[in-house]
Amino acid sequence: MSIPVVDPARYDQQLADKHERITQQFARFSPPELEVFASPPSHYRQRCEFRIWHEGKDLYYAMFEVDSENPKHKRIIRLDDYPVASRRINELMPRLREALLASDVLRYRLFQVEFLTTLSGAALVTLVYHRPLDAAWEEQAQRLQTKLDIAIIGRSRKQRLVLASDHVWERLEVDGRTLHYQQVENSFTQPNAEINRAMLAWARDVTRNSLDSDLVELYCGNGNFTVALAENFRQVLATEISRTSVASAQQNLVANDIANVTVGRMSAEEFSAALKGEKDGRRVREMALETYVFSTVLVDPPRAGLDESSCRQLSDYSRIVYISCNPNTLEHNLETLCRTHRITRFALFDQFPWTHHCECGVLLEKKSA
């Protein structure tokens, strides 16, 4: 891994390079013109984690960079600030370090610090230790929490101490609406909040005029897309395997006053079997699959993409919205999906500036017989 070098003056060029790369990579599928959504060039990432490196009486934030001349060797890079991270994280970094340096209790065997922030400045900080946490730690951490106006969680082996809250609430303005999202510590959330807003607006745009049909969403996470798309459809059925994410998705539906969504805790593979009538049980019966008329499926899979069986399942839907964090697995999946569907919208979201990573959005519509 190499640490991103942030140079705002070069941002337009790095985005243009990604535009050209993605355009060439997917040209054989004859997509429409690529829609490109730019990120803020710096301070765009709302969550980050750092190792804490101890040198005598000193300590500092650190990341590891692979030595290009010797890939087995990693160099320790000291970070006093981190332009990739949100301004709130950068404001907290020196203040937290000073507090740790001043407290033997808080710094002793501290291994890692994780920051989770929001656009409005709320912050949750997790301190990870290689030792049990006791009453003395909790007392000093409580004082630090008040001093820095943050929520603190302490972690060590088989121990998790939540001093105030285990989540923050993000508020995103999308299409003139304010969407509320509970974001839980140690659970997946979209790291680039401004690009997330762009993705939600794009997904809403490509699924308009769907109120006479239903949406099924696989890999729904904490309901990021579910919340934004619910009003476009008659009903939504969303599935997710993570218990924490399902609980958070339920909270987000309540927070946004959404009543036409059901979230089922089930893997994409299990759901596929349920649709075929090959799986039964309480969770399947609670979904009441017979009440849905699915026209659209949304998938936001992990970097590994979809397996061949899942791609074949998607081919049954009239419309597919595919959000991808890995263009290479997206390209592979499109080899199957484009046998039955054609690409009618194609987007590049610069979720991870200054890296080679790209987030893509694809709308596929079924070819006429």
Side-chain angles (χ1 to χ4, degrees):
M1 173 186 122
S2 61
I3 297 173
V5 177
V6 174
D7 180 2
R10 290 180 45 249
Y11 179 77
D12 289 346
Q13 183 58 54
Q14 74 97 38
L15 183 57
D17 292 343
K18 287 183 178 180
H19 185 176
E20 178 65 20
R21 174 163 61 89
I22 294 299
T23 298
Q24 290 186 6
Q25 182 174 359
F26 291 90
R28 63 193 174 97
F29 299 108
S30 301
E33 184 177 352
L34 186 65
E35 304 165 60
V36 180
F37 295 87
S39 168
S42 67
H43 302 102
Y44 47 83
R45 191 176 174 94
Q46 299 297 322
R47 57 180 171 88
C48 288
E49 61 182 49
F50 304 98
R51 286 286 296 273
I52 294 296
W53 202 255
H54 298 258
E55 287 187 355
K57 294 184 178 181
D58 193 16
L59 61 78
Y60 53 84
Y61 304 99
M63 286 186 172
F64 297 98
E65 190 167 68
V66 175
D67 188 335
S68 58
E69 296 181 1
N70 180 8
K72 293 183 179 180
H73 182 252
K74 295 181 180 179
R75 291 177 293 173
I76 302 163
I77 307 297
R78 175 173 179 152
L79 297 170
D80 294 314
D81 58 19
Y82 192 48
V84 166
S86 69
R87 295 190 186 280
R88 177 65 164 139
I89 292 176
N90 278 273
E91 180 261 328
L92 284 171
M93 286 174 69
R95 297 177 65 199
L96 178 60
R97 176 174 172 269
E98 289 170 8
L100 294 172
L101 286 168
S103 170
D104 290 339
V105 171
L106 292 177
R107 66 181 288 173
Y108 178 56
R109 301 205 71 183
L110 176 63
F111 169 72
Q112 184 164 294
V113 173
E114 301 167 1
F115 293 93
L116 175 61
T117 61
T118 69
L119 290 174
S120 63
L124 174 61
V125 176
T126 302
L127 305 176
V128 187
Y129 290 85
H130 282 325
R131 68 170 175 95
L133 303 178
D134 55 17
W137 177 88
E138 188 166 354
E139 179 184 355
Q140 294 205 21
Q142 288 277 12
R143 287 204 292 264
L144 178 60
Q145 181 175 251
T146 301
K147 179 181 178 181
L148 298 185
D149 189 24
I150 60 176
I152 289 180
I153 294 176
R155 281 187 175 272
S156 66
R157 190 168 180 265
K158 296 183 179 181
Q159 195 175 19
R160 179 174 181 258
L161 296 181
V162 179
L163 301 189
S165 175
D166 70 347
H167 63 272
V168 292
W169 281 96
E170 181 64 279
R171 296 188 297 275
L172 299 178
E173 297 292 330
V174 180
D175 284 351
R177 293 187 57 205
T178 301
L179 305 180
H180 303 267
Y181 292 98
Q182 182 195 68
Q183 300 190 337
V184 179
E185 181 255 1
N186 213 31
S187 295
F188 176 78
T189 55
Q190 296 288 347
N192 188 326
E194 291 296 347
I195 284 293
N196 189 31
R197 288 176 58 194
M199 291 197 301
L200 296 177
W202 181 86
R204 283 171 57 86
D205 186 47
V206 303
T207 58
R208 293 193 195 283
N209 304 316
S210 304
L211 283 173
D212 60 346
S213 62
D214 303 326
L215 168 70
V216 59
E217 182 183 356
L218 310 180
Y219 312 96
C220 77
N222 71 341
N224 183 55
F225 286 97
T226 324
V227 165
L229 297 183
E231 71 174 358
N232 278 6
F233 292 88
R234 186 177 69 98
Q235 294 184 99
V236 178
L237 177 59
T239 66
E240 169 61 47
I241 191 61
S242 163
R243 188 185 302 273
T244 301
S245 293
V246 168
S248 192
Q250 299 283 14
Q251 289 289 326
N252 290 334
L253 294 175
V254 172
N256 290 278
D257 195 25
I258 293 172
N260 66 331
V261 173
T262 298
V263 179
R265 184 168 173 261
M266 185 176 290
S267 71
E269 293 75 20
E270 288 175 314
F271 180 71
S272 175
L275 280 179
K276 296 175 185 175
E278 298 171 356
K279 181 179 176 60
D280 196 8
R282 177 181 56 81
R283 284 188 292 175
V284 173
R285 289 192 292 272
E286 287 175 350
M287 288 182 178
L289 293 174
E290 69 280 0
T291 67
Y292 291 88
V293 181
F294 294 123
S295 65
T296 305
V297 58
L298 185 146
V299 289
D300 184 8
R303 290 189 59 77
L306 301 169
D307 60 26
E308 191 68 21
S309 175
S310 296
C311 281
R312 287 197 300 271
Q313 177 201 344
L314 296 193
S315 296
D316 294 334
Y317 295 90
S318 298
R319 185 168 55 182
I320 303 166
V321 182
Y322 192 136
I323 307 295
S324 170
C325 61
N326 185 345
N328 294 332
T329 54
L330 172 62
E331 179 186 15
H332 177 70
N333 288 162
L334 287 178
E335 291 175 358
T336 299
L337 296 175
C338 284
R339 295 171 193 162
T340 54
H341 289 66
R342 61 189 178 89
I343 301 174
T344 56
R345 295 281 293 272
F346 190 29
L348 164 62
F349 305 100
D350 197 17
Q351 177 89 255
F352 309 101
W354 313 112
T355 75
H356 72 281
H357 295 295
C358 294
E359 192 105 357
C360 293
V362 182
L363 175 67
L364 298 112
E365 297 186 84
K366 199 150 189 129
K367 297 175 181 177
S368 53

